[in-house]
């Protein structure tokens, strides 16, 4: 059990190092996937309207639980990652690119040109961040998600 704990802890530390090296537009998505059981494909396809609707019904943390694939607990700050993304990061990207309200993309996660982020674009950014952070381990959104799932199984056995 101690070995599994140490391995997961080491993987989480490497992932945090890579996420810290990501450009801001990808960082919050990677943090959300790394603190919840939301599948990468579901996370990139989240729409602003859906998230705001879930906020109204379930609050910030309840929203993340509703979006998660498995009944695992989520980190307490996961709901606030969506708040930061929608209210600050996304808005700054849209303003920088002069998007009028009526033509804004529906997706929550946008790249620096205000285009919807895809799993491929995040995985590419993660690869580049890993190179900058001098991390040899290949990091993708799927790896981040799986590592979080494993950490829950090790730290909170069911």
């Amino acid at each position: 059990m101690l070995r599994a704990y140490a391995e997961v802890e080491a993987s989480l530390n490497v992932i945090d190092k890579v996420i810290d090296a990501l450009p801001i537009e990808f960082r919050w998505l990677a943090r959300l996937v790394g603190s919840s059981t939301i599948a990468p494909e579901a996370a990139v396809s989240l729409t602003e309207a859906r998230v705001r609707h879930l906020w109204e019904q379930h609050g910030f943390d309840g929203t993340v639980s509703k979006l998660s694939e498995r009944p695992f607990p989520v980190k307490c700050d996961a709901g606030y990652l969506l708040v930061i993304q929608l209210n600050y990061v996304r808005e700054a990207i849209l303003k920088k690119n002069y998007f009028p309200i009526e033509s804004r993309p529906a997706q929550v996660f946008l790249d620096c040109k205000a285009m919807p982020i895809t799993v491929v674009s995040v995985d590419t950014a993660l690869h580049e961040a890993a190179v900058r952070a001098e991390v040899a381990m290949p990091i993708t959104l799927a790896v981040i998600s799986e590592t979080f799932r494993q950490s829950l199984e090790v730290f909170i056995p069911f």
Side-chain angles (χ1 to χ4, degrees):
M1 182 59 135
L2 287 175
R3 182 177 175 177
Y5 176 84
E7 288 174 1
V8 169
E9 186 71 27
S11 294
L12 290 171
N13 289 336
V14 169
I15 287 170
D16 281 342
K17 184 176 180 181
V18 172
I19 290 174
D20 288 343
L22 279 173
I24 190 74
E25 66 266 22
F26 298 106
R27 194 173 305 151
W28 298 112
L29 172 62
R31 292 244 179 258
L32 179 66
V33 169
S35 64
S36 69
T37 56
I38 300 172
E41 297 78 15
V44 297
S45 64
L46 284 175
T47 64
E48 179 184 19
R50 179 158 187 237
V51 171
R52 291 195 188 280
H53 176 73
L54 289 170
W55 279 348
E56 290 172 7
Q57 290 185 325
H58 307 286
F60 300 134
D61 291 331
T63 294
V64 176
S65 295
K66 292 293 179 189
L67 295 170
S68 296
E69 289 190 332
R70 299 176 184 104
F72 289 129
V74 296
K75 288 184 182 177
C76 61
D77 61 351
Y80 294 99
L81 294 171
L82 282 172
V83 174
I84 292 167
Q85 178 62 33
L86 271 176
N87 295 333
Y88 301 103
V89 177
R90 183 178 186 276
E91 283 303 310
I93 290 169
L94 289 167
K95 285 179 184 174
K96 178 183 154 205
N97 287 282
Y98 306 106
F99 264 85
I101 291 173
E102 63 275 359
S103 65
R104 290 180 170 192
Q107 285 78 7
V108 171
F109 295 99
L110 305 174
D111 66 15
C112 63
K113 295 179 183 173
M115 300 307 296
I117 288 176
T118 65
V119 172
V120 171
S121 66
V122 178
D123 286 349
T124 300
L126 283 163
H127 172 74
E128 292 167 359
V131 170
R132 281 192 304 277
E134 299 177 352
V135 170
M137 180 178 152
I139 306 290
T140 64
L141 274 184
V143 167
I144 293 170
S145 178
E146 180 61 20
T147 303
F148 177 70
R149 187 193 61 72
Q150 288 174 356
S151 75
L152 290 174
E153 290 175 354
V154 169
F155 301 133
I156 309 169
F158 291 95

